[in-house]
Structure formats: structure tokens, C-alpha cells
Amino acid sequence: MLQTSAPLDLAFQALADPTRRIMVERLSRGPASVSELAQPLDMTLSAVVQHLAVLEASGLVRSRKVGRVRTCRIDPQAFHAAERWISERRASWERRLDSLGAFLDETAPRAKGRRRT
Amino acid sequence: MLQTSAPLDLAFQALADPTRRIMVERLSRGPASVSELAQPLDMTLSAVVQHLAVLEASGLVRSRKVGRVRTCRIDPQAFHAAERWISERRASWERRLDSLGAFLDETAPRAKGRRRT
């Protein structure tokens, strides 16, 4: 019934780690080499490469090696899917709260009317 | 340097599971009891309660027991934090692409001009 490796699973899983979010923050400001990504992180280059592999598997980041330098960049599509999922849920409960508000606006005067009689 | 149990870690981790996303989808349409949450899911009530515990630990969902019924509902705050994080990253690379576009618009005529001379 449920796919465990669906794109959204991988995207949210990738974003659940603070190191990977730092890498994504860096890449949202522009492409970067693996060394540039590693620069602010207090860990080995090998650990950074592992985090990069998770980000690439999720589709959030793409990388390309030219000569000896691997350059990484954001791939917006997986981001949009994750953002859309959250904002659609929010829209759903906001619609419900709006309906509830409209219902209360409609019924409150009638309730007051009943109280007056 | 990095907090592993930061609110965003827990929120994205909670959303990385398809069962929990189904539960959140249901709750975004209105509060529900644990049995109502379990109804469309092909799993034991105990497994559903475990998923609910992850959602509550992340702050995405709150529940309250009145009598024998535990009623669950969305807590929008953690949602907004996750949504904001993603949309700020998107805004960041969109700004960068806009600047790149403006730069190309500005330089392209000059480049053409140079080619003409």
C-alpha cells in the first residue's frame, strides 16, 4: 500500500539532518564544489561526501565532475514537491478554519437572537 | 556545533514517512480520534500510536484524551517553521537566478555591440 522510497520520503529524510540543511543553504546561494561545501562543516571530507550522496539520492541536489572538481547545485523540482506538499496541507486546514469562522459568524447572531427571546 | 534534535530535524523526520503523511493529511481536514486515524491504514492500532508519538514529538500534532477518546489535531507552528525553511531557500536561489537574468540582460546588448564593432 505504501511506498517507502517515494520521492517525498527521500526529500524530507534528506532535510531532517542539520548538516545537510547547511549544505542546502549554501547551495541555495549558488553552485559550490565539494570542498566549498565542506569548508564551514566540522567533519571529514568523506562524511561530507556521504551527506552529499543522500542529498543527490533525494533529488534535491545534483553534482557534476569536470576534471578534478565536482560542482554541486540545487535541483528545484524535488524542493517544489516538498514545499507543495506542506503548503497544500496548510491550505487544507486554513480552508477548514475559514469555514468554521464563517459558520460561527452566521450562527452567532442567530444564537444572540435566541438569547434575546 | 550541530543540534541533532532541533525542531526542524524532528519535523522533517516525522514527514519522511508515508504513513505519518497520511495521518497529517487526515488531520489537516480536521481533528480525529486515533481510531479514525487508523481506519485507512493497513496496520495495528499499536503501530499507529507509535507513528502518532513521532508526530507529537515533532510538534506537528497535538492530542488530548477526554474520557476514553484521544483526539488529535494539527499544531500549525511546527508546520510553518518547516514550510518557511524550504520557501526561504527557494527565495534565495530565485533571487540569485533573477540577478543572473538581470546581469545577462544588461551585458548581452553590450556583448552584441562589441561584436558589431
Side-chain angles (χ1 to χ4, degrees), chain A residues 1-4 6 8-10 12-13 15-22 24-25 27-31 40-43 74-76 79-80 82-83 85-90 92-94 96-97, chain B residues 1-4 6 8-10 12-13 15-22 24-25 27-31 40-43 74-76 79-80 82-83 85-90 92-94 96-97:
Chain A
M1 172 192 173
L2 302 169
Q3 287 187 309
T4 54
L8 277 177
D9 295 23
L10 297 175
F12 286 128
Q13 185 66 56
L15 295 177
D17 182 276
T19 300
R20 291 195 290 267
R21 287 202 304 277
I22 289 175
V24 166
E25 276 189 56
L27 293 174
S28 69
R29 298 198 300 275
L41 300 170
D42 189 18
M43 58 182 63
I74 293 285
D75 187 333
F79 260 94
H80 289 160
E83 190 179 17
W85 190 88
I86 295 183
S87 60
E88 281 175 2
R89 300 293 83 67
R90 182 176 47 77
S92 174
W93 79 68
E94 283 179 354
R96 189 176 61 81
L97 293 179
Chain B
M1 173 190 170
L2 300 169
Q3 287 187 310
T4 53
L8 277 177
D9 295 22
L10 297 176
F12 286 129
Q13 185 64 58
L15 294 177
D17 181 277
T19 300
R20 292 196 288 268
R21 288 202 303 278
I22 289 175
V24 166
E25 277 189 55
L27 293 175
S28 70
R29 298 197 300 274
L41 301 169
D42 189 19
M43 57 181 65
I74 292 286
D75 187 333
F79 260 93
H80 289 160
E83 190 180 18
W85 190 88
I86 296 183
S87 61
E88 282 174 2
R89 301 293 82 68
R90 183 175 47 76
S92 175
W93 80 67
E94 282 179 354
R96 189 176 61 80
L97 292 179

Side-chain angles (χ1 to χ4, degrees), chain A:
Chain A
M1 172 192 173
L2 302 169
Q3 287 187 309
T4 54
S5 61
L8 277 177
D9 295 23
L10 297 175
F12 286 128
Q13 185 66 56
L15 295 177
D17 182 276
T19 300
R20 291 195 290 267
R21 287 202 304 277
I22 289 175
M23 295 166 75
V24 166
E25 276 189 56
R26 169 61 192 83
L27 293 174
S28 69
R29 298 198 300 275
S33 69
V34 179
S35 318
E36 285 168 331
L37 281 182
Q39 194 265 323
L41 300 170
D42 189 18
M43 58 182 63
T44 64
L45 201 63
S46 149
V48 173
V49 168
Q50 279 178 28
H51 280 302
L52 180 60
V54 176
L55 286 169
E56 289 203 71
S58 74
L60 294 169
V61 169
R62 298 270 171 249
S63 80
R64 193 171 162 222
K65 198 168 185 177
V66 176
R68 290 180 62 189
V69 177
R70 178 171 295 279
T71 303
C72 312
R73 63 190 72 235
I74 293 285
D75 187 333
Q77 206 173 347
F79 260 94
H80 289 160
E83 190 179 17
R84 197 179 317 123
W85 190 88
I86 295 183
S87 60
E88 281 175 2
R89 300 293 83 67
R90 182 176 47 77
S92 174
W93 79 68
E94 283 179 354
R95 264 197 309 274
R96 189 176 61 81
L97 293 179
D98 285 350
S99 309
L100 186 64
F103 173 77
L104 291 176
D105 284 348
E106 240 177 60
T107 54
R110 272 189 271 156
K112 276 184 208 156
R114 271 201 297 277
R115 249 178 266 137
R116 274 200 295 272
T117 58

Side-chain angles (χ1 to χ4, degrees), chain B residues 66-77:
Chain B
V66 176
R68 291 181 61 191
V69 178
R70 178 172 294 280
T71 303
C72 312
R73 65 189 72 233
I74 292 286
D75 187 333
Q77 208 172 345

